[in-house]
């Protein structure tokens, strides 16, 4: 019995393939989505300026006098070109043989096999194509968050951006004895620096589990008392131990600034290993040595020209957005584009393509402080 894969795939509503490519995933799948949530935009590139007018208090004027000037205007420009992300994959011969065996069983039982072919194709698009694009989005977001810029070179192309993080918001890189796992750890020094730079309103500390391990393995030097762990959110809470002035013993600090919750983010993606052809290797989204602090918005009295009244962000740690541009392949419609088809020369060969024009945009660089520590030494 022969099966016509092409007929089954061509009868599939391609709008469903498009929807799979663009349906929203829960923010919990990728932490970067909470900080830089994706927006489907009408423009291909991020160009132009934002004028922000901050509220200033009204002044006092005498009778028959000019009104007091108010509204402090700030203008900032972020100009960036989206990078064209692409992926192509074919269903492996092993998987196709498994599909053929299932189709034979369905036919023997006089059951329709078209739905199985279509479901296999849609799952293939979702897992292999869409996830590949989402993983690259997440990696780019964390490149911006942990370095303050993009400088990604791939396939002879370069995607660059400078997000204008204030120079003072980059802490010294801690190495040697000063690393957080070292004999002269600067952990609490950096925590207090972060709090000071963010006006003592830090909403989140983000860290890779490798660096968290170094911190927890050095409890005496880091003056740590482990308080709690949340397995769902990946949050670890600690309190600082300080000298109590009686013969070198210590006690728990009652200063609220000495209680800290670190969010560990361990998700990673896979890329082809250029050293070992045919193999893949895992790449973490959050750099293992990075230590990130995100501060609160200190002035809620903001008016942006053209935006109407400003809405509060969906997440308090939101710093900007992921700019998902249209694609020419999708006819200029905003969002990712994917296609599923049977190759004309391979009647049993199912293949899929995915395309996305994308760049992360950090709109609040002053709310981001970036630290780092040598790990594993």
């Amino acid at each position: 019995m022969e099966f016509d894969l092409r007929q089954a795939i061509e009868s599939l509503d391609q709008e469903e393939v498009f929807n799979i490519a663009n349906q929203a995933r829960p923010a919990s799948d990728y932490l970067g989505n909470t900080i830089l949530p994706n927006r489907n935009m009408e423009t291909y590139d991020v160009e132009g300026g934002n004028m922000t007018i901050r509220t200033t208090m009204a002044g006092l004027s005498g009778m028959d006098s000019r009104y007091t000037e108010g509204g402090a205007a700030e203008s900032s420009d972020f100009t960036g070109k989206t990078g064209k992300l692409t992926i192509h994959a074919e269903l492996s011969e092993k998987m196709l043989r498994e599909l053929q065996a299932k189709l034979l069983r369905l036919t023997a039982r006089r059951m329709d096999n078209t739905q199985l072919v279509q479901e296999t194709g849609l799952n293939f698009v979702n897992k292999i194509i869409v996830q590949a694009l989402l993983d690259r989005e997440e990696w780019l977001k964390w490149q911006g968050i942990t370095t303050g810029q993009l400088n990604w070179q791939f396939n002879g192309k370069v995607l660059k951006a400078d997000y204008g993080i204030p120079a003072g918001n980059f802490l010294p890189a801690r190495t040697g004895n000063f690393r957080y796992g070292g004999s002269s750890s600067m952990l609490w020094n950096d925590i207090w620096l972060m709090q000071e730079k963010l006006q003592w309103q830090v909403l989140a500390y983000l860290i890779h589990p490798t660096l968290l391990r170094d911190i927890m393995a050095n409890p005496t030097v880091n003056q740590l008392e482990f308080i709690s762990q949340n397995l769902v959110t990946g949050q670890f809470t600690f309190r600082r131990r300080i000298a109590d002035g009686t013969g070198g013993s210590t006690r728990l600090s009652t200063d609220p600034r000495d209680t800290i919750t670190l969010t560990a983010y361990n998700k990673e993606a896979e890329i082809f290993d250029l050293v070992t052809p045919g193999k893949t290797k895992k790449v973490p989204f959050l750099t293992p040595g990075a230590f990130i602090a995100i501060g609160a918005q200190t002035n809620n009295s903001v008016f942006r020209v053209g935006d109407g009244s400003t809405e509060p962000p969906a997440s308090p740690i939101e710093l900007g957005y992921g700019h998902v541009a249209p694609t020419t392949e999708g006819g200029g419609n905003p969002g990712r584009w994917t296609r599923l088809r049977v190759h004309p020369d391979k009647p049993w060969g199912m293949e899929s393509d995915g395309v996305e024009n994308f760049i992360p945009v950090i709109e609040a660089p002053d709310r981001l402080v970036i630290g780092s520590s040598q790990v594993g030494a």
Side-chain angles (χ1 to χ4, degrees):
M1 175 67 68
E2 294 184 356
F3 309 101
D4 192 344
L5 280 181
R6 183 179 291 107
Q7 182 178 1
I9 296 302
E10 288 180 351
S11 65
L12 180 67
D13 185 357
Q14 289 298 314
E15 184 69 24
E16 189 169 355
V17 180
F18 180 82
N19 289 337
I20 283 179
N22 290 285
Q23 64 187 353
R25 284 194 170 200
S28 58
D29 279 10
Y30 296 104
L31 183 56
N33 281 348
T34 306
I35 304 169
L36 301 173
N38 284 354
R39 298 180 193 167
N40 283 353
M41 309 297 285
E42 299 288 343
T43 57
Y44 281 85
D45 298 322
V46 187
E47 296 183 2
N50 247 350
M51 174 169 280
T52 297
I53 303 177
R54 301 190 179 278
T55 303
T56 57
M57 288 195 294
L60 184 66
S61 295
M63 291 186 293
D64 301 321
S65 300
R66 292 174 60 93
Y67 300 154
T68 303
E69 294 290 338
E74 299 177 358
S75 180
S76 63
D77 288 307
F78 177 85
T79 302
K81 292 188 174 294
T82 52
K84 186 170 183 176
L85 312 179
T86 63
I87 184 76
H88 169 83
E90 298 181 8
L91 205 62
S92 69
E93 183 177 0
K94 180 177 183 294
M95 295 178 69
L96 285 172
R97 288 184 178 185
E98 291 179 1
L99 178 60
Q100 290 174 20
K102 290 181 180 180
L103 293 175
L104 282 170
R105 288 196 296 271
L106 287 177
T107 302
R109 294 160 57 188
R110 298 185 179 182
M111 297 176 64
D112 181 25
N113 52 43
T114 300
Q115 184 177 355
L116 177 61
V117 174
Q118 293 176 340
E119 288 178 352
T120 300
L122 292 174
N123 289 334
F124 176 60
V125 170
N126 189 41
K127 181 62 179 176
I128 304 301
I129 301 300
V130 178
Q131 184 174 328
L133 295 172
L134 293 176
D135 283 354
R136 182 58 73 183
E137 286 178 10
E138 183 75 353
W139 183 83
L140 287 169
K141 288 176 182 179
W142 283 103
Q143 287 296 297
I145 294 167
T146 57
T147 68
Q149 61 182 355
L150 292 181
N151 188 12
W152 179 38
Q153 302 181 41
F154 187 88
N155 198 27
K157 306 295 181 182
V158 181
L159 180 62
K160 284 190 173 185
D162 188 330
Y163 294 109
I165 310 296
N169 285 22
F170 291 93
L171 303 188
R174 304 303 183 185
T175 60
N177 291 337
F178 294 140
R179 62 190 176 88
Y180 300 159
S183 58
S184 300
S185 170
M186 299 293 282
L187 174 66
W188 282 104
N189 180 85
D190 287 354
I191 290 171
W192 278 50
L193 274 175
M194 288 174 164
Q195 293 188 26
E196 182 180 2
K197 292 178 182 298
L198 296 173
Q199 301 183 36
W200 309 100
Q201 298 186 59
V202 179
L203 297 179
Y205 296 96
L206 309 175
I207 196 169
H208 190 274
T210 301
L211 184 52
L212 178 64
R213 178 204 61 197
D214 284 2
I215 292 172
M216 295 182 70
N218 196 21
T220 302
V221 176
N222 285 324
Q223 304 169 284
L224 290 180
E225 179 85 8
F226 179 61
I227 303 299
S228 66
Q229 174 185 1
N230 187 318
L231 294 175
V232 176
T233 62
Q235 293 179 318
F236 294 74
T237 300
F238 304 90
R239 190 177 297 171
R240 189 179 190 181
R241 297 199 67 90
I242 58 175
D244 66 0
T246 57
S249 59
T250 62
R251 63 174 176 83
L252 288 177
S253 172
T254 58
D255 188 331
R257 295 169 298 180
D258 285 340
T259 297
I260 182 173
T261 297
L262 304 177
T263 299
Y265 185 49
N266 66 349
K267 292 201 172 180
E268 52 195 11
E270 292 189 53
I271 60 173
F272 284 113
D273 188 342
L274 300 181
V275 177
T276 310
K279 300 293 184 180
T280 63
K281 63 179 181 179
K282 293 183 178 180
V283 177
F285 294 129
L286 174 55
T287 305
F291 186 29
I292 304 299
I294 297 177
Q297 183 173 313
T298 57
N299 190 336
N300 293 321
S301 303
V302 174
F303 167 79
R304 291 190 180 90
V305 175
D307 284 353
S309 59
T310 54
E311 296 291 335
S315 165
I317 63 172
E318 186 175 310
L319 297 177
Y321 65 98
H323 186 109
V324 182
T327 63
T328 53
E329 291 85 351
N333 292 315
R336 306 176 194 93
W337 174 85
T338 56
R339 116 179 128 176
L340 175 67
R341 68 170 187 164
V342 174
H343 194 282
D345 298 329
K346 302 175 183 178
W348 280 104
M350 193 184 298
E351 64 179 21
S352 184
D353 302 293
V355 177
E356 177 180 8
N357 291 311
F358 177 80
I359 192 170
V361 179
I362 297 177
E363 297 179 301
D366 56 318
R367 292 174 50 207
L368 180 63
V369 176
I370 300 171
S372 66
S373 172
Q374 182 183 1
V375 294

